[in-house]
């Protein structure tokens, strides 16, 4: 790993004009300076794109693109990745924020643990005014308990792993969310993952979050193609479609 590897921070954006400036400023405030911020606007109608374009002019490390129409979070996340050039990719939603030393902490961990392919941290939940509402301690990674895991903020991966997995799952692109959890499970199923037990991410609760739109997995049309639920169910020996324990067959042997 080079001394100053490039970190790509991927930021899909949709109608977050009230928060995106804070999100961008949290990246600009990083103690680690060799980063690029890839913003793809998903057809915002509230001025999000225009504000991002203004802020882009003040920092050449910021790149702003537009889908031209609303395509959903999954497609937009894929589009951010298309422009990224870093050795590491981190997810930052356009209404959230990073602690100023987040990137430095994550890259320090990757440097000390070359076998690790994905790192995640703890986070706090903040309200519309950036006031902390709660603290979330992410579970320490355990491959034997994959059903207890999913994408956690601040999640960062080594891009070299993308050559060996499906990557962002285009087969579930019509579902409002889940693209990050699907990616997490593809990596966690085969490679070491590590939790940094520090708060490095601020998740905003404002009532319109994408995660609240997620359908129940057993009712989701994308269930057969979803890596997250396939690996989750396998970890519990559950049926992928019903999410209930697989039936066991008892064979009676006559004495």
């Amino acid at each position: 790993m080079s001394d100053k590897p490039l970190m790509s921070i991927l930021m899909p954006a949709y109608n977050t004009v009230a928060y995106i400036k804070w999100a961008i400023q949290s990246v600009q405030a990083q103690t680690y300076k060799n980063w690029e911020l890839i913003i793809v606007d998903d057809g915002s109608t509230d001025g999000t794109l225009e504000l991002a374009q203004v802020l882009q002019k003040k920092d050449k490390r910021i790149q702003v693109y537009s889908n031209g129409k609303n395509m959903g979070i999954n497609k937009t996340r894929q589009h951010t990745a298309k422009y990224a050039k870093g050795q590491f990719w981190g997810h930052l939603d356009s209404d959230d924020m990073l602690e100023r030393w987040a990137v430095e902490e994550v890259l320090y961990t990757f440097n000390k643990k070359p076998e690790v392919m994905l790192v995640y941290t703890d986070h706090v939940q903040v309200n519309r005014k950036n006031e902390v509402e709660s603290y979330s301690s992410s579970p320490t990674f355990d491959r034997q308990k994959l059903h207890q895991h999913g994408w956690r903020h601040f999640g960062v991966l080594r891009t070299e792993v993308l050559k060996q997995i499906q990557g962002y799952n285009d087969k579930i692109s019509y579902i409002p969310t889940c693209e990050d959890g699907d990616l997490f499970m593809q990596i966690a199923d085969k490679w070491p993952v590590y939790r940094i037990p520090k708060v490095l991410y601020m998740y905003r609760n404002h009532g319109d979050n994408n995660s609240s739109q997620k359908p129940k997995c057993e009712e989701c049309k994308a269930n057969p193609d979803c890596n997250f639920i396939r690996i989750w169910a396998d970890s519990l020996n559950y049926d992928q479609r019903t999410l209930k324990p697989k039936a066991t067959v008892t064979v009676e042997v006559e004495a």
Side-chain angles (χ1 to χ4, degrees), residues 4-33:
K4 297 292 182 180
L6 179 64
M7 163 71 84
S8 296
I9 298 176
L10 312 184
M11 183 185 290
Y14 179 66
N15 285 351
T16 53
V17 70
Y19 311 112
I20 192 170
K21 185 176 181 179
W22 282 329
I24 293 172
Q25 288 177 335
S26 79
V27 178
Q28 292 176 304
Q30 290 300 301
T31 55
Y32 185 86
K33 302 302 182 182

Side-chain angles (χ1 to χ4, degrees), residues 88-241:
F88 300 89
W89 290 358
H91 287 188
L92 173 62
D93 291 338
S94 61
D95 49 359
D96 297 340
M97 298 178 292
L98 296 177
E99 289 286 2
R100 60 190 302 267
W101 48 86
V103 173
E104 186 172 6
E105 286 271 6
V106 165
L107 292 182
Y108 174 83
T109 299
F110 275 120
N111 189 47
K112 293 296 182 181
K113 299 181 178 294
E115 75 283 2
V116 167
M117 289 295 161
L118 188 146
V119 162
Y120 62 94
T121 75
D122 292 353
H123 71 271
V124 292
Q125 179 174 294
V126 299
N127 62 20
R128 297 172 186 266
K129 299 179 180 180
N130 293 341
E131 298 167 336
V132 175
E133 294 182 329
S134 62
Y135 160 70
S136 178
S137 174
S138 298
T140 299
F141 183 72
D142 183 350
R143 181 170 287 108
Q144 302 306 312
K145 299 178 180 179
L146 284 179
H147 56 279
Q148 296 181 0
H149 295 283
W151 187 268
R152 305 282 177 174
H153 303 301
F154 173 41
V156 181
L157 60 89
R158 292 184 193 266
T159 54
E160 63 186 77
V161 76
L162 295 170
K163 299 176 182 178
Q164 304 176 67
I165 61 176
Q166 182 181 2
Y168 292 107
N169 188 352
D170 191 55
K171 294 181 179 180
I172 63 171
S173 62
Y174 57 93
I175 302 302
T177 181
C178 299
E179 82 294 339
D180 46 9
D182 188 280
L183 182 66
F184 175 92
M185 280 301 192
Q186 292 180 56
I187 298 172
D189 190 39
K190 298 180 179 179
W191 286 276
V193 173
Y194 185 78
R195 170 201 171 211
I196 300 176
K198 297 180 181 181
V199 173
L200 299 180
Y201 193 97
M202 287 165 277
Y203 171 84
R204 189 178 308 281
N205 176 30
H206 50 70
D208 298 317
N209 306 74
N210 276 325
S211 57
S212 64
Q213 305 172 24
K214 184 166 60 176
K216 292 183 179 180
C217 293
E218 61 271 31
E219 300 172 359
C220 182
K221 295 179 180 179
N223 178 298
D225 299 311
C226 179
N227 291 303
F228 175 85
I229 201 61
R230 172 179 59 81
I231 296 168
W232 183 94
D234 187 61
S235 175
L236 285 170
N237 196 33
Y238 277 18
D239 180 87
Q240 180 176 342
R241 298 304 299 273

